[in-house]
Amino acid sequence: MASIVNTKGVDISDYQGDINLSKVKSAGYNFVMIKCGQGGNGRIIDSEFTDNVKKAEQLGMPWGVYLFTEACSTTAIKDECDKIDKLLKAEKAKGYRPTLPIALDLEYEYHIADGGGWNESNVKNITAVFVSEMLRLGYYPVIYTGYYQLRDWISTDTIVKCDVWLSQWNYAPDWTRKLGLWQYGGEKNYLESNSIPGVGVIDKDKVYKDYPAIIKNGGYNGWGNGTPKQIDEGTAAQLIIDTAYALLNVDEHPDSCDIMNWYGTFSDDINDVACCCAGQMYLFNHAGALDLIPGGKVADCGSLCRNFYDADQLYGPDEVRPGDLVIFSWSKERSSYWPASSLEYKTLDHVELCVAVYDDTIKCIGANNGGDECDDFQIKTRDKSNISCCCRPKYSDYSYEPYSENEEVYSEDESSVASVQSWLNNNYSADLDVDDIYGPRTKAALVKALQTELNRQCGAGLMVDGIYGNMTSSAAVCLFVGAQGNITKILQGFLICNGYSTNGFDGIFGSGTMNAVKSFQRDNDITADGIVGPVTWMLLAG
């Protein structure tokens, strides 16, 4: 079976009734987490559990389970663990074994007052007991909960022993340590539609680890005959990339440099230190993965190159891939710094994280690369000819594929009405004159493109007529920093055509697009929050 790393799935319960999992799989959702029960002692069995397991098995979809806890005591959580064990042993007797983790679903509003209810002491206790009991019984545990509970109420000692399934409906996960699964949307979904055609509204998830391989090879969940191996500590390349997107437009200390505040030993005054390399150390630390940097944190590209070379993790410019720390040369002259000199690499001038690879360019995120302050993380399109070398961390997965090398990419100086018109012609058969003039036909073509994408991605059922009416307005999705894809690119098209520079026509909602949105909002006397909601869409497209 192919790796499921970085793919999408769903989590389900009897709330969906007799769900058509075949339609879920056909829509591109590759795995499923299935509710097995609920209650302080697991007293309520989900009425669709056994049928949902059977459906997943018949479709060859990797599956795991979760129990919706109301436990507030050691006795209650042990009863829940016992209930999970009995249910999974009954499924194993049928030949069905989960290849995804076993989750404790921890949601505060359902915790009753018995035993003290929802408080830090009880949460720390029941999560610690759950993980210990699941490991004792031979299962692979995860904790499903929100960011603040992970940050404030769950013991570090517990998280070390298990993975995290983060519930955060956002563009990127704010919690990254031991992150195995991310529920990125449910009733609200900022990345895509909240529903699947023929299925309805559904919780959607992303996976960062190759759980079927980890669980089978480790002997978890009934797949082995002995004591399971220690839980894998790996970090996926996509997790680092998602963390980089989450750092865009984040400024914890407006009067000083966030990166050097964390790094130490150097000045933290704004723009006193060129912190591109320290910025990547800051990024990996933010993801809980600083141990992926050989030799520890450094603040210069030469040391970074040498340490990755010593670890046999340094690659040439033609081998670039997403997740690499790419060192650039602006002069393109041969480096005099060892080992780059002996490898005939170019000068070591600047480093950024590669997030996408194309024919002649790569998309990167880094610090000290053109923002107002040196600690601003920005998205940039870089020419491959400027790559000196690539530092590749030892990620838990090496299956992450670059974006299609045939994808059309526009560099920053091509953000013009003409480039928008050309893109609309190539992708939506708009048949526009590429005359660099924003007239009624170009505006209608942008609206048609938006209607097409809302139908394609969200099942909106709109008439593609180029008229931004009430139906289109109701279907338009909210966009803000971190959004990616064709709808974001259409937004950029509207902004560019209205005379606002987005610092790239690339389909990525970065700081350039956010600044353009804010400028447009200010010029139209609406709240300048950088979020594209109904009012902003109407003013742009209506």
Side-chain angles (χ1 to χ4, degrees):
M1 178 183 291
S3 170
I4 64 169
V5 173
N6 302 321
T7 66
K8 296 184 292 187
V10 299
D11 55 273
I12 62 175
S13 68
D14 56 11
Y15 178 83
Q16 281 78 32
D18 185 13
I19 188 171
N20 189 330
L21 270 189
S22 180
K23 288 187 177 181
V24 172
K25 185 175 181 180
S26 296
Y29 299 87
N30 298 320
F31 63 89
V32 58
M33 293 293 289
I34 303 170
K35 183 180 178 182
C36 67
Q38 181 172 338
N41 58 3
R43 62 188 179 273
I44 303 171
I45 306 303
D46 190 274
S47 61
E48 297 291 331
F49 172 64
T50 56
D51 283 345
N52 284 337
V53 168
K54 184 177 180 180
K55 291 173 186 176
E57 287 281 345
Q58 290 175 340
L59 289 167
M61 296 178 73
W63 61 277
V65 305
Y66 67 95
L67 189 140
F68 197 113
T69 185
E70 293 177 8
C72 297
S73 67
T74 298
T75 299
I77 192 65
K78 284 187 174 181
D79 284 345
E80 290 187 346
C81 293
D82 181 62
K83 183 67 71 176
I84 292 170
D85 184 40
K86 288 178 179 176
L87 288 170
L88 291 180
K89 282 179 177 175
E91 295 305 314
K92 183 179 178 180
K94 304 173 190 174
Y96 302 155
R97 290 172 289 181
T99 54
L100 295 183
I102 313 305
L104 185 71
D105 182 341
L106 195 70
E107 302 184 43
Y108 75 93
E109 63 264 36
Y110 295 95
H111 275 39
I112 54 179
D114 293 349
W118 176 265
N119 58 55
E120 181 178 356
S121 176
N122 279 348
V123 169
K124 283 186 174 178
N125 177 55
I126 65 171
T127 50
V129 172
F130 171 80
V131 171
S132 295
E133 282 294 292
M134 286 290 101
L135 289 173
R136 183 183 67 81
L137 292 166
Y139 296 105
Y140 195 107
V142 301
I143 301 294
Y144 167 96
T145 196
Y147 171 80
Y148 293 105
Q149 286 71 53
L150 288 165
R151 187 191 69 180
D152 298 335
W153 282 10
I154 298 177
S155 168
T156 299
D157 292 339
T158 297
I159 294 175
V160 165
K161 298 175 184 177
C162 71
D163 288 344
V164 166
W165 178 10
L166 175 69
S167 171
Q168 185 183 42
W169 298 349
N170 201 351
Y171 279 107
D174 288 331
W175 180 275
T176 54
R177 186 180 179 203
K178 297 299 296 292
L179 185 62
L181 293 153
W182 171 37
Q183 186 190 81
Y184 60 84
E187 286 82 8
K188 293 182 180 179
N189 195 316
Y190 298 106
L191 294 180
E192 58 192 34
S193 169
N194 67 351
S195 62
I196 295 174
V199 175
V201 174
I202 195 167
D203 291 340
K204 297 180 180 180
D205 305 274
K206 189 172 187 178
V207 64
Y208 292 101
K209 295 189 176 184
D210 190 3
Y211 281 121
I214 292 169
I215 287 170
K216 288 182 179 180
N217 294 337
Y220 295 96
N221 297 359
W223 288 95
N225 297 316
T227 302
K229 298 177 183 178
Q230 185 176 354
I231 286 182
D232 174 73
E233 295 279 342
T235 301
Q238 185 63 41
L239 176 57
I240 303 300
I241 292 170
D242 284 348
T243 303
Y245 278 110
L247 287 174
L248 294 172
N249 196 44
V250 173
D251 194 353
E252 293 183 47
H253 306 92
D255 298 324
S256 64
C257 178
D258 296 339
I259 293 167
M260 304 318 293
N261 256 319
W262 164 78
Y263 192 95
T265 73
F266 295 97
S267 168
D268 62 4
D269 288 345
I270 293 295
N271 295 327
D272 268 8
V273 176
C275 55
C276 65
C277 187
Q280 296 303 315
M281 306 300 103
Y282 177 85
L283 187 161
F284 274 73
N285 182 72
H286 210 71
L290 191 57
D291 58 343
L292 292 181
I293 305 297
K297 66 181 186 181
V298 293
D300 66 281
C301 293
S303 297
L304 188 71
C305 174
R306 184 181 66 249
N307 290 346
F308 272 82
Y309 175 81
D310 290 343
D312 196 28
Q313 295 170 235
L314 190 69
Y315 294 83
D318 294 334
E319 300 175 273
V320 64
R321 64 193 293 176
D324 285 354
L325 293 170
V326 179
I327 300 180
F328 296 98
S329 170
W330 304 138
S331 69
K332 299 186 181 180
E333 296 177 356
R334 182 171 170 175
S335 174
S336 60
Y337 192 97
W338 187 89
S341 57
S342 65
L343 296 168
E344 300 186 4
Y345 291 158
K346 291 172 282 192
T347 54
L348 310 173
D349 298 326
H350 181 71
V351 62
E352 295 175 350
L353 180 79
C354 175
V355 299
V357 177
Y358 305 105
D359 276 344
D360 301 315
T361 61
I362 62 174
K363 191 73 69 178
C364 295
I365 294 178
N368 196 34
N369 65 0
D372 292 335
E373 302 172 1
C374 70
D375 62 346
D376 291 343
F377 280 86
Q378 303 275 309
I379 297 175
K380 297 291 180 180
T381 298
R382 302 295 189 187
D383 196 288
K384 283 184 177 178
S385 65
N386 285 110
I387 299 175
S388 173
C389 54
C390 304
C391 303
R392 183 165 303 152
K394 288 187 176 179
Y395 295 116
S396 61
D397 67 301
Y398 284 88
S399 60
Y400 186 78
E401 295 295 331
Y403 293 157
S404 168
E405 292 193 349
N406 296 317
E407 183 165 336
E408 189 170 9
V409 180
Y410 293 89
S411 61
E412 293 167 14
D413 59 358
E414 291 177 311
S415 298
S416 62
V417 175
S419 67
V420 175
Q421 292 169 327
S422 178
W423 181 71
L424 290 168
N425 285 343
N426 292 335
N427 291 274
Y428 300 96
S429 302
D431 194 28
L432 297 170
D433 293 329
V434 183
D435 56 9
D436 207 33
I437 298 171
Y438 185 46
R441 291 189 68 240
T442 300
K443 182 176 182 179
L446 276 169
V447 174
K448 285 183 178 181
L450 177 62
Q451 291 167 330
T452 299
E453 291 299 334
L454 291 172
N455 288 342
R456 182 182 299 159
Q457 298 184 37
C458 307
L462 299 172
M463 180 180 295
V464 181
D465 56 8
I467 300 171
Y468 195 86
N470 291 335
M471 294 292 289
T472 304
S473 178
S474 298
V477 294
C478 179
L479 298 178
F480 52 87
V481 169
Q484 299 182 62
N486 284 342
I487 295 179
T488 301
K489 196 159 184 173
I490 292 163
L491 165 67
Q492 291 174 328
F494 275 115
L495 290 165
I496 291 166
C497 288
N498 278 279
Y500 295 86
S501 172
T502 57
N503 197 27
F505 184 41
D506 53 13
I508 299 174
F509 199 134
S511 58
T513 300
M514 182 198 66
N515 290 334
V517 170
K518 286 185 174 180
S519 294
F520 177 82
Q521 290 170 328
R522 282 192 293 268
D523 290 346
N524 285 273
D525 295 322
I526 60 174
T527 302
D529 57 7
I531 298 172
V532 182
V535 175
T536 304
W537 270 122
M538 181 61 73
L539 289 169
L540 278 168

